[in-house]
Amino acid sequence: MNVWLGAALALMVGGLGPALLVASRGDPLDRLVGLELGGTVTTVVLLLLARGVERPSYVDVALVLAVLTFAGTLVFTRYLGRSL
Amino acid sequence: MSPVDAVAATLVAAGALVLAASSLALLVVRDTRARLHLVGPPAVVGAPLVVLGLAVDEGPSRAALKLLLVGAVVAVSGPLLTTATAYALRRHREDA
């Protein structure tokens, strides 16, 4: 357990927790905001975890997640803007 | 702790603070339009600060470049997502 893993843990609790809470209840667009924040926080958590376990190759996971969060959330915004 | 370690730790701590504060503010702010304000700073300020700290800790190398690339992707996507969500919110509210 080093500093990086500790920071990742703190971010998971303080960052992902509220984002997941907001993403699980309420209006669809409120949930989308929770999803966006959750995606950003998860990317950073993955970067910190990659540094914490000292595996530089795990940064690729964070890169893929950053790109997919971006594309996926845009798909949701188009869908929510049209229907409902 | 060397100066480089101190700088890296400060940058990462600052970025993590911005991320956690924006996320916790989601619980306080209730209005959807106001919540949109909370999506930008983590992506544009928080994540790049953490990435910069990690890159400083890594030193000049290809690994640091990859980290900076991840930070750039997140920083570019943040404002775009905010705007797209705002458009969807306006259309959603018009239909409702």
Side-chain angles (χ1 to χ4, degrees):
Chain A
M1 183 70 171
N2 50 34
V3 177
W4 310 103
L5 290 178
L9 178 66
L11 256 187
M12 267 194 266
V13 172
L16 263 185
L20 281 174
L21 204 64
V22 167
S24 56
R25 319 179 304 180
D27 193 52
L29 276 147
D30 272 317
R31 296 191 188 195
L32 187 62
V33 172
L35 180 70
E36 287 168 5
L37 258 172
T40 308
V41 171
T42 308
T43 309
V44 173
V45 164
L46 283 174
L47 286 175
L48 287 171
L49 285 175
R51 177 65 184 85
V53 301
E54 286 174 23
R55 293 266 187 280
S57 52
Y58 290 5
V59 172
D60 300 350
V61 182
L63 180 61
V64 170
L65 180 67
V67 174
L68 285 180
T69 303
F70 180 39
T73 314
L74 279 180
V75 168
F76 274 120
T77 53
R78 269 183 87 82
Y79 170 68
L80 285 173
R82 279 198 189 169
S83 63
L84 293 176
Chain B
M1 200 186 229
S2 72
V4 173
D5 281 343
V7 168
T10 313
L11 286 170
V12 170
L17 203 65
V18 169
L19 282 161
S22 297
S23 208
L24 287 168
L26 267 184
L27 298 173
V28 177
V29 175
R30 292 293 164 160
D31 180 36
T32 315
R33 254 187 220 107
R35 272 176 170 170
L36 277 178
H37 284 295
L38 298 169
V39 176
V44 176
V45 178
L49 273 177
V50 172
V51 159
L52 260 175
L54 287 170
V56 163
D57 181 67
E58 199 77 33
S61 62
R62 220 170 298 162
L65 271 178
K66 209 195 315 189
L67 284 168
L68 291 173
L69 176 66
V70 177
V73 170
V74 174
V76 165
S77 70
L80 284 170
L81 284 179
T82 311
T83 315
T85 314
Y87 272 127
L89 181 65
R90 189 177 67 179
R91 259 177 272 139
H92 185 52
R93 292 284 156 89
E94 271 171 13
D95 293 339

